[in-house]
Amino acid sequence: MKSLYDVPAPAKLNLFLHITGRRPDAYHLLQSAFMLIDWCDTLHFEKRAGPGISREDLTTPLPAQDLITRAAHLLQQHTGCTDGVHIGVEKHIPAQAGMGGGSSDAATCLLALNRLWQLKLSLPELTSLGLQLGADVPFFLSGHNAWVEGIGESITAIDLAPAQFWVIKPPTGIETARIFAHPDLKRDTNAATILLFAADPYGFGRNDLQPIAQALCPEIEPALFALNSLGMQAKMTGSGSAVFAHCRDSTLKVSVPDHFSARLCSNLATHPLQGWAAIDS
């Protein structure tokens, strides 16, 4: 195998996000439901002789040491692989949106290079590497929608009914660290259960980060209004600034201000690369 083209890296939405406490090391404890959607980045991998790793940005310019490049180097160092790769990146998931684009790209990179370099690492081995890159990477490696707890390391697969969602991304984003460091952040939400969530998965709970994010990024408000005004119940995903709402009528047209991005997305039952970490990959 010399190349892998058109390899998807899907975004996620947090159907809710509750902060239930804070550890002595300052990491926040959370509960959330992560859902895969069909808004994807696309990556291309070409195997190269020698250990060189290069990246070509085909749409949006990325930082020199983004999570894709870091994932490739980490996998190479962990395995002692002497092969290299050239990676082309078509970036479509917006940055600083709370949609997990960078983490998803890193997971797709680990899965694709595991196959391209014929490393045959198992899912637990890749997950251990993914956790070194970011708390959300293990979710994208897991291959399924999930109930997530702790600091993001506790992942339980869940089934979700097929549905569509309007997603709106304001032109500005928010740094996650600013929200979690804010003194007014609610950190004591009572723990929920999967059973309670399952009774109304698309209407359950709230995003505890949203009030702080709205104060830091006023453009979230018109994005929420665009969905709420059509009778949908909008909330922010992750640490924002993207917002979303369950859409029961796909004929509804959403009007957003200039420079805002709006997209009608469908959820995914599983990650399109599920199984790529199998021992015979």
Side-chain angles (χ1 to χ4, degrees):
M1 183 181 297
K2 295 183 179 179
S3 60
L4 289 168
Y5 295 121
D6 301 318
V7 186
K12 59 87 174 167
L13 297 176
N14 294 83
L15 292 176
F16 76 97
L17 199 164
H18 295 170
I19 306 298
T20 59
R22 197 175 190 181
R23 303 193 320 189
D25 61 7
Y27 279 96
H28 289 77
L29 299 172
L30 60 84
Q31 285 187 315
S32 186
F34 284 31
M35 179 182 68
L36 297 161
I37 59 172
D38 62 356
W39 194 336
C40 299
D41 291 338
T42 304
L43 281 66
H44 313 279
F45 301 86
E46 296 178 356
K47 189 176 180 180
R48 297 290 169 86
I53 293 172
S54 59
R55 194 195 73 228
E56 180 181 3
D57 300 331
L58 303 174
T59 51
T60 304
L62 298 173
Q65 287 298 316
D66 76 312
L67 283 177
I68 299 169
T69 305
R70 288 171 55 195
H73 281 291
L74 180 62
L75 187 60
Q76 192 180 62
Q77 292 162 8
H78 176 76
T79 61
C81 179
T82 57
D83 291 325
V85 68
H86 179 70
I87 307 171
V89 183
E90 296 179 33
K91 192 71 181 166
H92 303 292
I93 302 170
Q96 292 189 331
M99 298 169 65
S103 295
S104 184
D105 292 344
T108 286
C109 184
L110 290 174
L111 291 165
L113 292 182
N114 187 47
R115 174 166 289 201
L116 186 66
W117 289 342
Q118 298 182 342
L119 300 174
K120 299 184 179 180
L121 296 187
S122 65
L123 181 58
E125 289 175 293
L126 290 176
T127 299
S128 178
L129 294 176
L131 193 57
Q132 298 178 45
L133 297 166
D136 287 352
V137 179
F139 159 71
F140 288 104
L141 290 167
S142 71
H144 45 68
N145 298 311
W147 176 273
V148 179
E149 295 184 287
I151 59 171
E153 83 289 356
S154 176
I155 301 173
T156 302
I158 57 174
D159 293 322
L160 295 168
Q164 291 186 305
F165 301 82
W166 272 106
V167 184
I168 300 177
K169 170 63 172 66
T172 53
I174 313 171
E175 293 181 8
T176 302
R178 291 186 65 195
I179 300 176
F180 278 105
H182 201 283
D184 295 334
L185 177 65
K186 181 175 176 58
R187 298 178 171 93
D188 59 354
T189 296
N190 293 331
T193 65
I194 295 180
L195 186 62
L196 185 63
F197 162 79
D200 183 19
Y202 302 140
F204 179 83
R206 61 180 180 273
N207 186 335
D208 284 338
L209 307 184
Q210 186 171 319
I212 304 301
Q214 285 183 246
L216 296 174
C217 179
E219 287 180 309
I220 292 174
E221 185 60 37
L224 292 168
F225 177 79
L227 297 174
N228 290 332
S229 64
L230 294 175
M232 293 182 271
Q233 296 180 339
K235 67 180 76 168
M236 192 178 75
T237 178
S239 56
S241 59
V243 305
F244 72 97
H246 180 205
C247 178
R248 293 179 173 85
D249 181 0
S250 61
T251 64
L252 287 175
K253 300 301 181 184
V254 173
S255 177
V256 297
D258 291 342
H259 308 301
F260 282 55
S261 300
R263 181 166 176 164
L264 182 63
C265 298
S266 297
N267 60 356
L268 302 175
T270 58
H271 194 290
L273 305 185
Q274 187 182 45
W276 277 36
I279 200 66
D280 61 347
S281 60

